[in-house]
Amino acid sequence: MISNLLNGFVEGDVDLYGINPIDPEDFPKVPKFVGVVLQDPEKQLVMPTPADEVSFTLENLGFTVTRESIMNSLKNVGLESRAYSPTEYLSGGEKKRLCIAASIVHKPKLLIFDEPTANLDPWGVSEVINYIKRLKEEGSSVIVIEHKARHFLPLTDKLMVLINGEQKLNLTKDLISSKYEEVVNTLNNLGVDASKPNLTRRNELYTKPVVITANDLWFRYPSSKEYVLKGVSLTLRKGEVGVVVGRNGSGKSTLLKVLSGLYKPDKGSIKVPSLNGINGKVRKRNLVFYVPQEPDYMFIHNTVLKELQSCSNKSFNFDEVPWVKEVLNESPYKLSHGQRRWLSYLIAKLHSPEVVMFDEPTAGLDIRLLKQFVNWVKDFVSEGKTVLIATHDVRVVCDIATNAFIMSEGTLSQVSVEEARDYLEKPVEVIS
Amino acid sequence: MIKVRPVTLFIYGLTITVLAFIARSTEQLILLTLINAPLGIYLGFKRLKILIILFLLGLIGLFVNSLIFANSGIAVLDLQFITVREGAITSFSKVTLRLLTILGAALIFVTQINVRDFIKSLEEELRFPKDIAYALSVGLRMLNILERDAKEIQLVRVERGYRKVPLTPADVGSFLRPLLSLGLERAIWIGIATELRGFALRNPKRAEIKVGVLDILLYSLLILQCLAILILA
Amino acid sequence: MALSKRFTALDLTYLGVVAAICGVIFALTWNVYFIGSALGGPIIARIMSYGLWFIGAPLAATLIKKPGTAFLGEFLGAVVETLIPTYGAFTNIIYGFAQGAASELVYAMFKYRKYGIVQASLSGAVAGFPCVALDALLFGDIYPAEVMVLITIAAVISGAIYGAVAAIAVRSVRR
Ligand SMILES: Nc1ncnc2c1ncn2[C@@H]1O[C@H](COP(=O)(O)OP(=O)(O)OP(=O)(O)O)[C@@H](O)[C@H]1O
Ligand SMILES: [Mg+2]
């Protein structure tokens, strides 16, 4: 469909309500029949407020725009009270709903969702699934493209698995409902995330030495009055993998940045016993290293080689990651997404920290890259290091967590890994 | 509340700035400054304190420059280590007045305008092509996201032991690359999404330019200033 | 509309992104300018910072490779900067217009066939002339003619450097 825009080349025929989207003449008519919701709202929303966003679609397609039609469409997704407040102040879930509203306001017959659950907290995910259910009941056709097929199986009429551009599996509703278990197994074998995550038990580490403790941390951004962290305390021991879960905007990322010494807490202390130090020193020695969600933020130099050399003067062991040898003189930005992620882990590791903090490291990753990440963390902690991960991903919690925390409105509570899993699963389970 | 239309504000701000560039005599500049600076600073003091403070700090630098480059004529003030002469004072005050006018006009514009209405009126009233209005709204939307990116990049730079503010070409390159990489990645999807929302079919709505009382007031003020500059020239 | 025939939504989005990047860079450049002024006076400050203010044109042109993009990249960047607002206020729009037009000329001279590092560097360099001319109107009372000449040279050098930096950056991120 995009061949008309990206100078790609498509062969074959598509019949979409009587027009052929591959034909340059017909292509501009596609939006009349089709609404598309892309993965990342930041890559779709272009207007300053929700009301403008919705009316942009309507104006494009030549509808007369009234206040009423805008409000109705926003009401559908529960955003009518935010109609005129700036888009950038919406939460992740709200932005997603706005994308949906803006894509369906002209009542298209076909809707396409590209990974509708990425980056969303479980409540957001459940909202989206409910919404798709409603659209289906109202008679629209919906195509969902997803890594996490599990949430959508009960709604599916037709299921298709694509691997490297080849159609590997094509199932219909009857088959899915009659042989549910079998289907799930086949899907899992094909690398699709279809089954409920299983918890793998891990050794308790209560006897290991403490690596970092934070006591009664308070923090607010200079630009706002509200505290984001309101008295957070936590302890991590050597070899632990801690996960922090919580709703969008609850302060997870902020906590990681404060713990890595990148932001100074307004009150409270962070202690790293191996250093016997306080905030400032944590930073100086890079004992705690923060890895942001986008690997691109991490790169400074224009070749992979310089990037690695700049981190440490130890010679680099290429056996660990053979592909790095092939791309030493490439710009880091030309690597594939998986490779960029990996390079960002390498950079973190080469700074030889005791603790690495990952902010949503698995958002939008397929199962192969997820496995890569899980293995990396397992290796890393087996060397006696410690990891803290902020995430919405129940797979991460089940596969590697030894400790879990729930962040809620600026306070942190330690819970069991089971509780953290249930916390993430409950909102979604209710529907399916 | 009555509001001045964005187009009016835009024309006013731009014209005053042009006048400040053109005006050569001290009288002209004093007139422009007296009208625009107090109004602007009054309107903008709350929200844009930092900008105003920066401006005042910048003046110190300017004064030093005028001491170095334009210190000629009769001695006005004799500090032991340096003599301040007339040339320095007059050139410094002229430049200051000019900058004050520009600052005032900008503060009036920025405090009174609603960015959303501004872009809308570009397309509807000033009849800019839909392309420009669209590119600008993307730009402003992306600005917020890129500011967040820039903060994050600065954090990592600090973490990895590099300068926070890019001072050398190498710094700038390493700052630009992630901004571009992320920006372009987003742009591709935004472009696709926009096309899929029927941008090609868009026929921009055109509206008549409406004027209210405040607009007429501001336009008259503008015309008066233009005339005054001509007379004083 | 003549414009829409030439630009796709994708091109326009790229332009928007360049404008936003310019907004961020231009805003940061004020810090560079002030740091430069404090450390080395007006000429050093201009070498360090002016090229950054011309970066919109080489960025947009190297990226989109179509007539008009150099001008629009610089000009829209300046409009965004005005709306932020930064220290330069409305002068930004005037400077942006003149610098963008000058940079566009370079690409026009190559008949819109070449969008390499050399062109980017040149387009940055020529933006120095209108910029200093406008500076002369603003600050002419302070700086005598010979200093203005030095300032021009500084601006042109800085423009050439950062034009190249912009083009190289674009090349190293394009996948
Ligand atoms: N730079 C900033 N300036 C001001 N406020 C901020 C800034 N960054 C975050 N906030 C606010 O702080 C709160 C916590 O944000 P944070 O990013 O830590 O949440 P989060 O739990 O990581 O959310 P998500 O799951 O969406 O990533 C939010 O209300 C957010 O709006
Ligand atoms: Mg976060």
Side-chain angles (χ1 to χ4, degrees), chain C residues 90-156:
Chain C
F90 263 101
T91 56
N92 294 325
I93 290 194
I94 299 171
Y95 277 93
F97 189 92
Q99 286 157 197
S103 298
E104 183 71 35
L105 268 182
V106 170
Y107 288 99
M109 261 161 37
F110 286 94
K111 302 216 170 81
Y112 295 114
R113 287 205 193 109
K114 292 207 169 118
Y115 294 90
I117 294 175
V118 176
Q119 287 75 23
S121 182
L122 278 175
S123 82
V126 297
F129 295 105
C131 173
V132 175
L134 288 167
D135 269 3
L137 284 177
L138 266 189
F139 302 110
D141 295 304
I142 285 186
Y143 302 121
E146 50 301 355
V147 179
M148 278 332 267
V149 170
L150 284 179
I151 286 179
T152 313
I153 296 170
V156 169

